[in-house]
Amino acid sequence: MRILLVEDDEHVAELLKTVLTEHRYVVDTAADGQAGWELVEEISYDLVLLDVMLPKLDGVSFCRQLRAKGNPVPILLLTARSTNTDKVMGLDAGADDYLIKPVEPTELTARIRALLRRGQVTSTLVLTWGNLKLDPSNCGVTYGDVPLRLTPKEYALLELFLRNSNRVYSRSAILDQLWSFDEFPEEDTIKSHIKGLRQKLKTVGAPDLIETVYGLGYRLNQTYLKDEIKPQASSTLLANVSQMQQTRETVAKIWQRAQGKILDRVELLDQAIAILQTNPLEKDTRQEARQEAHKLVGSLGTFGIAEGSQLARKIESLCQPEVQLKQPQLKSLQRLIKALRQLVEGATQQPLEQPDSSNAELEAKHQGEKKAGRQPSVLIVGASREWADLLQPDVAAGEIRISTAADVAAARVAIRCDRPDIVLLDLPLANVSESEQSLLNELASYTPPLPVLVCSEQDQFSDRISISRLRGRGFLQKPATATQVLDAIDHILQQTEASKGRVLIVDDDPSILEMLRVTLEPWGFEVITLDHPLQLWDCLETVPPDLLVLDIEMPEVSGIELCQTLRNDSRWGWLPILFLTSKTDPDTVHQVFAAGADDYISKPIVATELVTRILNRLERTRMLRRLSKTDPLTGITNRQQSTEDLNRLLLLAKRSQQPVCLAMLKPDDLKQINHQYGQVIGDQVLYQIGQLLRQKFRSEDVVARWSGVEFAIGLYGMTRSEGVEGLADVLETLRLKEFTASSGKRFQVTFSAGVTQYPEDGTGLNLLYQAAMAALADAKKAGGDRVLPFGWQPIQPQSLLNIDVVLVHPDSTFAKATLRALETRGYHCHWLQDGKTMIETLGGAAPSLSSHVILLGAFPGLNRLELVKRLKRNKVTRSSRVILLEVQSNEAEKALEIGAFDYTVAPFSFSVLMQQLRRASKL
């Protein structure tokens, strides 16, 4: 996989390139935006890793230009700015994800893997081909149970073939994919690496796993699929520990070379602040100081000097144009720079310290990962793999991450390496061992506690009390379904959501502010402190908090006056406000609550009481806000909230010139289901459809219950045809599900849907809704159980029947399944069972049928290539595009040469066929 890294800090660029190269990526680097742009125009990349603040062409402009040219390459932004505005600007410009500096190498590589998986046909964590397994998370390769030790290029070759398993790669194409632009190997180099890879595969019994397609190149041998092993997500603790250690050593080496330049940057920052001492209004100098501080935020954090990164971020904040640099601010800048210099100089006198595995640092890292938006992680502790196997489909879909540990000792190692969000513990309640009890006590003592979900076969009330005594946070009775496990995990995550809140504290005593910050941050709170109460309004606009803590007695304005002001503003009326006060007399307490406070704490402050009150208040507020946005029956977004979300998507689409797909969906025959089986069963149908929609679509998509039986789906960045394909996949999944009535009778459910696209079908939500409902009505009229795009028309009777797809195939079972799938997506189809009839019907003297696409299957004893030649001679291929199904390698190139539009290889892949049909329909 080939990555373009655009980063102007040469040492950070070197570090990131080293880390990525160790993970077997091919990395090209550029030191400014213009140089990066020239590279991306010349070379096809799998991903672009892009700093935001770049010389010549900044990262946001780079994104916009790239998307304006229609380049779909995944873009991961690197930014030291953590405000929502900066994130939204990057995403609006076309970025797929962002990562806040300082960059943690393990998170960087995980996010890159996630982005690269989105563009692949396979979404499994482990790439497989028969008995061959390649795990991108630790660059491990095994055949059966035997590990293969490959060179970086051999590994890259194998991964390239596995990620594009149906493609033949020429030598020149391999060079373009696996060598950076500053390397100039000959094509014979490919032969050498292929030979070395084959020799290693031969030692494990797979000598011809990579086959040569003479005249074309190389590909994977299809015959190895007969012994295919299903991929499983597994814990790779030892490999991860080794890789983490190697990364730390790399960071330490590069730090030795980078330290001089970082000190120079601190010196430039010091000089700029000295100028501002005499002329605070010097805009250019302030801008220079802000840029230098911004660079230090990322570089110091990346090299593990987190405290230095925080100091630089404070300096950058004070250098913002809207901050007035008066004497207090200038003195603060001097103190910050002095502390920063001492910290960096101290770090240069000794090797870079390796981060220890203390609970506080593990929690800080864990909270940083959760803020960055990673999937919830679950550590499964127990001897059986039943839970891991049960959750495998959700792992493959990117819903959660799982790792496993066979026993308590392995669990401790796993938690120290990568702290999970939840521990799922398979526990026999009748016989809890001393080591299991010790682990539960240990996890409960974390700050904050690490929640444990206990699984057991018993389900008595006394058992649940036992779990509470063991400090478990949830219970599952065995056996459990995947949905039950995910619901339990989701419930616990919602309970712990409050620990990720942002708390703004206003107090004129710096020592109190520092004490509160030190107290709250280990619990995962993002703490913002403010010692000037008159700056509260500006601070609220810049970093909107989840909870506000106010002191009562402050100079210039009291906390009670601030509280009253906020309660009089509709934007902040919901904000929880907690008071700190040394006065507990009835009159003061009355004033506090009369002003609109939610709670108060008396000084001196007890840390545990403060944390508990904040957690409870945040959890309560978030629960109420969540209920106001959620449909109570289906658990998905309600109409009011989804209307806001959809309008937001349309606004983003207008700014970034991206499409938005809106779909409206109704279950078929729900009225009859309610009448025949009862309202309770009908509600179950609505609930299951809502849950299925939520599982199938991305977290950033809008999935809502619009009215009684209507569902709305908003898909940002997707076209109408992509929306039809996504909804059709949901419909095909729903068809397989059986519902059971109270009488025991089983039945199945389908739905109809209409799909529209912004801005082609409407420039506003109301117009798009009307168009989607019109398409939905067409789907109902056509018999239901299908997804139709807006503008779909039924077949008009005429002498020459014009349809979308003709399927020519001898197998009636195959034809029936394929035709149903095509009709589900709105295609008008016709089936012909033999090639002779096809020639007569489509290209005879008096054709009765005209088709945009012809799907031509294989016939025993009949040469398909001759049929294609006949169609070409009869001029049918001028208006009809021929796609050959399940061709052999010796047919493929010949078919294209004689007039076929495309082909699918064996084994048949319907998803590939649908991509080809959409492409053919656009031409």
Side-chain angles (χ1 to χ4, degrees):
M1 306 298 271
R2 190 165 190 160
I3 294 175
L4 172 61
L5 169 62
V6 189
E7 167 64 65
D8 60 321
D9 188 315
E10 60 178 306
H11 297 294
V12 171
E14 182 187 3
L15 171 61
L16 295 179
K17 182 175 182 178
T18 302
V19 169
L20 294 176
T21 302
E22 288 174 353
H23 283 76
R24 307 300 191 259
Y25 296 112
V26 178
V27 184
D28 295 338
T29 59
D32 60 72
Q34 186 58 44
W37 180 256
E38 292 171 359
L39 284 175
V40 84
E41 284 195 308
E42 295 294 330
I43 300 172
S44 176
Y45 289 100
D46 297 290
L47 181 136
V48 175
L49 189 59
L50 186 65
D51 191 18
V52 171
M53 294 189 67
L54 290 168
K56 298 185 180 180
L57 180 66
D58 66 88
V60 173
S61 300
F62 190 108
C63 284
R64 290 197 181 104
Q65 289 185 197
L66 201 59
R67 295 309 187 219
K69 289 180 69 69
N71 192 326
V73 62
I75 300 174
L76 176 58
L77 284 180
L78 300 178
T79 175
R81 298 178 175 180
S82 59
T83 65
N84 289 332
T85 302
D86 297 315
K87 299 171 188 174
V88 170
M89 284 181 62
L91 295 174
D92 281 351
D96 297 275
D97 201 355
Y98 62 87
L99 194 56
I100 298 172
K101 293 182 178 181
V103 176
E104 169 63 36
T106 54
E107 181 181 357
L108 172 65
T109 54
R111 284 180 176 270
I112 288 174
R113 289 194 298 271
L115 285 176
L116 291 175
R117 282 198 302 270
R118 293 179 190 174
Q120 302 297 328
V121 174
T122 178
S123 60
T124 54
L125 293 178
V126 179
L127 303 174
T128 66
W129 192 259
N131 293 326
L132 180 72
K133 289 184 181 181
L134 184 148
D135 189 347
S137 66
N138 66 355
C139 300
V141 180
T142 59
Y143 188 84
D145 296 326
V146 182
L148 278 78
R149 300 187 180 277
L150 305 180
T151 67
K153 286 302 182 189
E154 290 169 351
Y155 175 91
L157 270 170
L158 194 55
E159 184 182 22
L160 179 67
F161 289 131
L162 286 169
R163 289 190 182 276
N164 304 273
S165 55
N166 291 322
R167 178 172 172 180
V168 178
Y169 274 98
S170 66
R171 294 178 192 173
S172 60
I174 293 173
L175 283 174
D176 289 340
Q177 288 286 329
L178 302 185
W179 271 262
S180 60
F181 69 90
D182 53 353
E183 298 175 292
F184 304 98
E186 299 291 336
E187 287 194 6
D188 285 345
T189 305
I190 304 298
K191 292 178 62 178
S192 176
H193 287 292
I194 290 286
K195 181 179 179 181
L197 181 55
R198 282 173 168 167
Q199 288 176 342
K200 292 179 180 179
L201 289 169
K202 183 179 180 180
T203 62
V204 295
D208 57 344
L209 189 141
I210 298 174
E211 64 177 352
T212 301
V213 181
Y214 292 99
L216 296 177
Y218 306 96
R219 72 172 181 186
L220 294 175
N221 192 329
Q222 301 281 332
T223 60
Y224 279 78
L225 287 179
K226 63 183 180 180
D227 299 321
E228 183 174 358
I229 298 175
K230 295 181 179 180
Q232 296 178 337
S234 59
S235 176
T236 52
L237 300 177
L238 294 178
N240 287 342
V241 171
S242 175
Q243 196 167 48
M244 288 171 62
Q245 182 61 31
Q246 184 178 1
T247 299
R248 289 170 179 168
E249 293 173 357
T250 301
V251 171
K253 291 177 182 177
I254 298 177
W255 167 252
Q256 299 300 321
R257 299 194 297 272
Q259 57 191 17
K261 186 172 182 178
I262 289 178
L263 276 173
D264 292 342
R265 182 161 280 150
V266 174
E267 181 63 31
L268 289 173
L269 185 58
D270 197 5
Q271 293 173 7
I273 300 303
I275 295 174
L276 291 175
Q277 292 282 346
T278 57
N279 187 4
L281 300 178
E282 177 60 48
K283 292 183 179 179
D284 292 342
T285 303
R286 182 187 287 213
Q287 174 68 7
E288 179 186 355
R290 186 166 65 90
Q291 289 179 346
E292 295 298 333
H294 180 83
K295 295 297 182 184
L296 287 169
V297 170
S299 56
L300 288 173
T302 301
F303 286 108
I305 310 178
E307 186 179 350
S309 180
Q310 294 169 5
L311 291 172
R313 194 182 297 278
K314 292 178 181 178
I315 295 171
E316 181 189 13
S317 177
L318 287 172
C319 291
Q320 296 293 333
E322 62 271 14
V323 178
Q324 295 184 5
L325 288 181
K326 296 183 179 181
Q327 199 60 32
Q329 287 80 15
L330 291 169
K331 288 184 178 179
S332 179
L333 279 171
Q334 285 181 319
R335 291 195 299 270
L336 289 170
I337 291 175
K338 182 179 179 181
L340 182 61
R341 181 188 298 278
Q342 291 174 346
L343 188 66
V344 175
E345 287 177 345
T348 62
Q349 295 169 4
Q350 56 188 0
L352 189 68
E353 292 183 2
Q354 305 299 333
D356 61 36
S357 55
S358 67
N359 179 33
E361 292 199 9
L362 281 173
E363 175 57 24
K365 173 188 173 186
H366 176 67
Q367 293 297 335
E369 289 174 338
K370 289 199 284 184
K371 290 174 184 175
R374 70 168 194 171
Q375 303 101 330
S377 60
V378 180
L379 172 64
I380 301 173
V381 184
S384 174
R385 283 199 53 86
E386 61 179 291
W387 298 108
D389 294 338
L390 186 68
L391 296 174
Q392 178 59 37
D394 300 282
V395 172
E399 294 293 325
I400 59 173
R401 297 188 302 121
I402 64 171
S403 56
T404 59
D407 51 33
V408 170
R412 286 193 170 95
V413 174
I415 294 169
R416 291 173 68 85
C417 293
D418 183 14
R419 176 172 171 172
D421 296 292
I422 294 175
V423 173
L424 192 152
L425 181 59
D426 201 334
L427 197 66
L429 293 177
N431 186 23
V432 179
S433 68
E434 185 177 339
S435 62
E436 290 168 335
Q437 175 71 69
S438 174
L439 177 64
L440 286 165
N441 291 333
E442 184 180 317
L443 299 182
S445 67
Y446 275 36
T447 306
L450 180 52
V452 178
L453 179 60
V454 175
C455 309
S456 183
E457 294 179 353
Q458 297 96 328
D459 187 19
Q460 301 296 325
F461 183 66
S462 58
D463 297 322
R464 293 177 181 265
I465 294 176
S466 300
I467 291 172
S468 299
R469 289 172 177 168
L470 291 169
R471 302 187 180 185
R473 290 287 296 275
F475 171 77
L476 274 175
Q477 183 184 12
K478 300 168 64 175
T481 65
T483 300
Q484 290 172 328
V485 177
L486 291 174
D487 286 345
I489 290 172
D490 185 59
H491 178 68
I492 293 176
L493 289 177
Q494 289 179 8
Q495 288 180 328
T496 58
E497 183 74 15
S499 66
K500 296 189 286 184
R502 176 186 288 162
V503 178
L504 173 60
I505 306 174
V506 185
D507 197 306
D508 62 318
D509 187 340
S511 61
I512 291 290
L513 292 176
E514 180 62 18
M515 185 275 292
L516 292 174
R517 184 187 65 78
V518 172
T519 300
L520 296 177
E521 283 185 345
W523 286 82
F525 296 111
E526 180 183 352
V527 180
I528 310 296
T529 58
L530 185 65
D531 57 3
H532 291 80
L534 291 179
Q535 295 178 1
L536 173 61
W537 201 260
D538 291 336
C539 190
L540 288 172
E541 298 291 343
T542 305
V543 281
D546 298 301
L547 182 139
L548 177 64
V549 178
L550 293 174
D551 187 20
I552 288 185
E553 295 182 344
M554 293 182 288
E556 299 177 311
V557 61
S558 70
I560 290 177
E561 291 171 328
L562 289 176
C563 182
Q564 290 171 332
T565 303
L566 291 176
R567 291 301 184 231
N568 291 333
D569 188 281
S570 59
R571 292 175 298 170
W572 301 108
W574 61 270
L575 181 64
I577 299 177
L578 186 150
F579 271 92
L580 301 178
T581 176
S582 57
K583 297 181 178 181
T584 57
D585 58 279
D587 184 52
T588 301
V589 173
H590 173 74
Q591 290 183 51
V592 164
F593 285 107
D598 295 278
D599 205 347
Y600 78 96
I601 294 179
S602 59
K603 297 179 181 178
I605 298 167
V606 178
T608 54
E609 180 186 1
L610 174 64
V611 170
T612 301
R613 286 180 181 270
I614 290 177
L615 286 172
N616 289 341
R617 181 55 55 186
L618 283 176
E619 183 177 347
R620 180 70 177 170
T621 301
R622 282 180 172 155
M623 181 188 69
L624 293 174
R625 296 187 74 189
R626 187 166 56 249
L627 289 175
S628 69
K629 299 177 181 180
T630 304
D631 173 61
L633 173 61
T634 60
I636 60 178
T637 308
N638 60 23
R639 180 170 183 170
Q640 179 181 358
Q641 181 60 38
S642 63
T643 300
E644 296 178 13
D645 294 340
L646 288 168
N647 281 318
R648 175 179 53 81
L649 288 187
L650 293 175
L651 182 60
L652 291 176
K654 183 177 181 180
R655 291 175 180 172
S656 56
Q657 298 182 339
Q658 291 289 314
V660 171
C661 176
L662 175 68
M664 298 302 298
L665 176 156
K666 282 185 178 181
D668 297 323
D669 303 320
L670 186 63
K671 186 175 180 180
Q672 181 180 346
I673 292 172
N674 285 332
H675 177 74
Q676 186 172 355
Y677 304 117
Q679 188 76 38
V680 173
I681 300 299
D683 287 348
Q684 289 180 10
V685 169
L686 292 174
Y687 172 78
Q688 291 296 337
I689 291 176
Q691 294 302 303
L692 184 59
L693 290 170
R694 187 175 69 172
Q695 293 167 13
K696 287 288 187 178
F697 292 108
R698 304 167 299 184
S699 59
E700 61 266 30
D701 294 329
V702 178
V703 175
R705 186 185 181 193
W706 193 258
S707 65
V709 295
E710 291 178 7
F711 292 85
I713 302 95
L715 309 172
Y716 180 78
M718 286 196 181
T719 63
R720 190 190 303 112
S721 61
E722 291 170 333
V724 168
E725 180 61 31
L727 266 295
D729 179 58
V730 176
L731 176 54
E732 289 167 342
T733 302
L734 181 64
R735 286 176 185 155
L736 301 175
K737 183 174 180 59
E738 285 192 337
F739 293 84
T740 305
S742 56
S743 62
K745 184 177 179 180
R746 296 179 179 272
F747 65 96
Q748 292 170 300
V749 175
T750 60
F751 64 72
S752 302
V755 183
T756 60
Q757 178 179 330
Y758 167 88
E760 285 76 5
D761 303 329
T763 55
L765 180 56
N766 188 47
L767 292 175
L768 289 170
Y769 169 74
Q770 293 175 4
M773 290 303 293
L776 174 58
D778 290 337
K780 290 285 189 182
K781 289 177 184 177
D785 190 17
R786 66 193 65 211
V787 182
L788 297 184
F790 178 68
W792 179 90
Q793 295 292 332
I795 295 178
Q796 301 298 323
Q798 52 190 4
S799 58
L800 183 65
L801 192 61
N802 290 300
I803 61 173
D804 299 315
V805 181
V806 165
L807 172 64
V808 188
H809 203 283
D811 187 339
S812 60
T813 302
F814 175 88
K816 183 178 179 181
T818 303
L819 290 174
R820 187 179 189 191
L822 293 172
E823 290 168 354
T824 296
R825 292 156 174 82
Y827 289 101
H828 297 301
C829 307
H830 189 77
W831 175 42
L832 298 175
Q833 201 163 1
D834 62 80
K836 182 179 179 181
T837 305
M838 175 191 70
I839 297 297
E840 295 174 352
T841 305
L842 293 168
S848 60
L849 198 64
S850 173
S851 176
H852 193 69
V853 178
I854 301 171
L855 302 180
L856 185 54
F859 294 85
L862 190 62
N863 189 331
R864 280 192 294 180
L865 299 182
E866 290 300 322
L867 290 177
V868 176
K869 290 179 181 179
R870 289 276 302 276
L871 291 173
K872 187 175 182 180
R873 281 199 303 269
N874 294 348
K875 301 181 181 179
V876 175
T877 54
R878 291 185 179 182
S879 58
S880 301
R881 291 167 177 81
V882 180
I883 299 176
L884 271 64
L885 304 180
E886 300 182 287
V887 304
Q888 300 300 319
S889 58
N890 58 344
E891 280 186 297
E893 293 302 320
K894 292 179 182 178
L896 297 179
E897 290 174 1
I898 63 175
F901 173 76
D902 211 339
Y903 59 86
T904 68
V905 298
F908 180 76
S909 169
F910 188 77
S911 61
V912 172
L913 175 62
M914 291 311 304
Q915 293 174 8
Q916 294 170 333
L917 274 175
R918 290 197 297 272
R919 189 163 63 91
S921 300
K922 293 178 181 178
L923 300 176

